[in-house]
Amino acid sequence: MSVTAAQGFTAAGIAAGIKGNGNPDLALVVNNGPRRAAAGVFTSNRVKAAPVLWSEQVVKDGEVSAVVLNSGGANACTGPKGFQDTHATAEKAAGVLDIGAGEVAVASTGLIGVLLPMDKLLPGIEKAAAELSAHGGEKAAIAIKTTDTVHKTAVATGDGWTLGGMAKGAGMLAPGLATMLVVLTTDADVDSATLDKALREATRLTFDRVDSDGCMSTNDTVLLLASGASGTTPEYGEFADAVRTVCDDLARQLIGDAEGASKDIRIEVVNAASEDDAVEVGRSIARNNLLKCAIHGEDPNWGRVLSAIGTTKAAFEPDRLNVAINDVWVCRGGSVGEDRDLVDMRYREVRITADLAAGSESAVIWANDLTADYVHENSAYSS
Amino acid sequence: MSVTAAQGFTAAGIAAGIKGNGNPDLALVVNNGPRRAAAGVFTSNRVKAAPVLWSEQVVKDGEVSAVVLNSGGANACTGPKGFQDTHATAEKAAGVLDIGAGEVAVASTGLIGVLLPMDKLLPGIEKAAAELSAHGGEKAAIAIKTTDTVHKTAVATGDGWTLGGMAKGAGMLAPGLATMLVVLTTDADVDSATLDKALREATRLTFDRVDSDGCMSTNDTVLLLASGASGTTPEYGEFADAVRTVCDDLARQLIGDAEGASKDIRIEVVNAASEDDAVEVGRSIARNNLLKCAIHGEDPNWGRVLSAIGTTKAAFEPDRLNVAINDVWVCRGGSVGEDRDLVDMRYREVRITADLAAGSESAVIWANDLTADYVHENSAYSS
């Protein structure tokens, strides 16, 4: 499972002392080749953390040999010193692994605006390197957790090759990308251009359609590394499907473990004039705090769905809108539809279908409800 | 105070039985002239309630003689029957007051997607008409409350003339306009074009810059009626100032009574390249749930301010951003600034200043924190 499911990869996860509570906080993932192809997708937030600025450069040439990931600090909004720290992290890993610093991607997660304790992080890299193992994937997944209650891994297998991955993310989950660190590894023998294409197609439809709390991170990083160790080059379609399957699996795990959430809300917008319209409407619904509260209260308050749709620029006529909650069409023609008392909302998954009656395009956005626990988790301490 | 502070107006507020709990739920405001000039500003939500569609037509000719307002039901997303009900409401008031239905504006607030109990509302209009009084303004303000904990009124006086008003609104408070019903009345002798100009200028800088919870209503209505009863025509600037002062006063009262809020957050964006940029950045900060939680927890988590700024299209360079919380510049040059422990957040008002270092324009947006009480109020029952 995780980043060591595929051949050619070793990983480790250790406690370097970055977190005050002694929990694991440093992960190292190494591609032992023979190939070191890589692709990456990063946050579209214009305020980017130092490790994002660094790793964007590292993946540009399509080669990554190792990834250092830390929890316990985002190294975002930390100025020139923060960037120097990321650089020093890559240099340290390069020295220990006998590779070039330009082959080392770095990813960080935690509180924004605080410098990392480099006196703990740098020795931690040595310690992690000493523990690198072909069975280290799970420990690596554990070490990148912040407020995640469980670690997240997924795997897919092809004919003679494997794709696995790990993810973290529980708050600041919203598109562009959702707030997350993700590392995917495969032993398929594919080049970086293929990785890049498959990864962008997959993230556009998975991580980028997760909108737990409307807040976009400064640190989102999704990396896909290929070792070629299986000696197999799959058909593009088969490979792309596997990447999307693993991304979708991890994205769902992020939603299922979102801070304080009690419901996973699947918002499907159908009969839109364009896919962009469908996504815009889906996100508007996903971000409506009043609706998120209603879902938490198991109240099929479809008026809040309509008021959210009404704030968008999508093509629709108000008196042609239909809305179903858990398959009961509570709103038809922009007005009262089936009896709202028919809606059963006892289960964790809630399905909202918004029919724009304006075309034939659709999109699915995943969101969470808004709960007192979310407020508590994000007000009781800095995170 | 309220809508009867100015000469030439009578009002009433009664319990018609629209609300199940017997609280006041119907208000009537009548302009007895000699002038019946009027202007209105309505929600920019594309899903508009029946009374909004009706009243937009009524104010088009610049004349309104009476306003019927009800709480206990928004009459939004109620289809053709909902519009017929609004029409019947105006006809009933017209009959009782011996005026034309086209002179009667209607405003409703409450749950979306439920038809109004017309068997209670129509007799209520007769009852309210019988209680019309030059001292009825306060009762009218009370009758339009929904989850408001207090009724909201304001008044300004000029040289020989008066402007007063009432407002309701506690949830679904966000621009375009914020969710609210507002009626302003004046005995100044001004025409409808002047009223319209002054009202639009005022709402743009007051109600439209209130963003309590990011949710835009289907029912927002702000009306300004002039009776001319004072016989005084003020200078335009003096009059516009009074309209803005009263709107600002009422807008602040809305924020101060927002559902579940424990903090009023004044977000001032300065040194923006344009006013539009300043407003976009201010709203992005205002709507960031993680920041709203942090403010609730009295945590000066400026990283969440920067991550919100980073999602906008405004002109700025990340490494030139400065942020102050309660006048302590906790972020300078996009990085760590003054000691965050210097920030005192014990009081209800919290001031966030975001310096974009990109120009000389500015804007102020008012928001609220996100609390467990907000979640409770909006999940425990339909509203």
Side-chain angles (χ1 to χ4, degrees), chain B residues 139-154:
Chain B
K139 282 189 174 174
I142 291 169
I144 59 174
K145 284 169 57 186
T146 53
T147 54
D148 308 67
T149 65
V150 294
H151 61 285
K152 288 118 184 155
T153 64

Side-chain angles (χ1 to χ4, degrees), chain B residues 284-301:
Chain B
S284 180
I285 297 169
R287 293 180 177 186
N288 189 281
N289 278 352
L290 288 172
L291 176 66
K292 288 157 72 85
C293 287
I295 300 296
H296 177 53
E298 303 187 347
D299 169 13
N301 197 323

Side-chain angles (χ1 to χ4, degrees), chain B residues 32-107:
Chain B
N32 300 296
R35 213 187 238 289
R36 268 99 180 173
V41 179
F42 301 90
T43 183
S44 56
N45 197 312
R46 291 169 59 199
V47 175
K48 296 181 204 299
V52 168
L53 295 170
W54 171 266
S55 298
E56 281 181 334
Q57 295 305 313
V58 168
V59 301
K60 259 195 181 159
D61 68 354
E63 288 219 351
V64 171
S65 298
V67 188
V68 181
L69 307 98
N70 74 274
S71 51
N75 197 7
C77 306
T78 44
K81 178 66 171 72
F83 193 80
Q84 286 165 24
D85 287 347
T86 293
H87 188 182
T89 300
E91 288 283 3
K92 178 71 181 182
V96 170
L97 299 170
D98 197 20
I99 56 178
E103 302 167 57
V104 181
V106 180

Side-chain angles (χ1 to χ4, degrees), chain A residues 12-18 25-28 68-70 85 88-93 95-97 116-132:
Chain A
I14 59 125
I18 304 168
D25 49 22
L26 187 75
L28 184 59
V68 181
L69 307 97
N70 74 274
D85 287 346
T89 300
E91 288 282 2
K92 178 71 181 180
V96 170
L97 300 169
L116 290 171
M118 296 305 287
D119 58 327
K120 289 172 179 157
L121 197 152
L122 295 181
I125 292 173
E126 284 189 42
K127 186 175 166 193
E131 295 194 14
L132 281 169

Side-chain angles (χ1 to χ4, degrees), chain B residues 265-269 281-283 285-287 291 350-354 363-367:
Chain B
I265 311 173
R266 182 184 191 275
I267 300 160
E268 182 167 17
V269 181
V281 168
R283 286 186 185 166
I285 297 169
R287 293 180 177 186
L291 176 66
V350 174
R351 295 179 309 286
I352 295 176
T353 312
V364 173
I365 301 286
W366 281 92

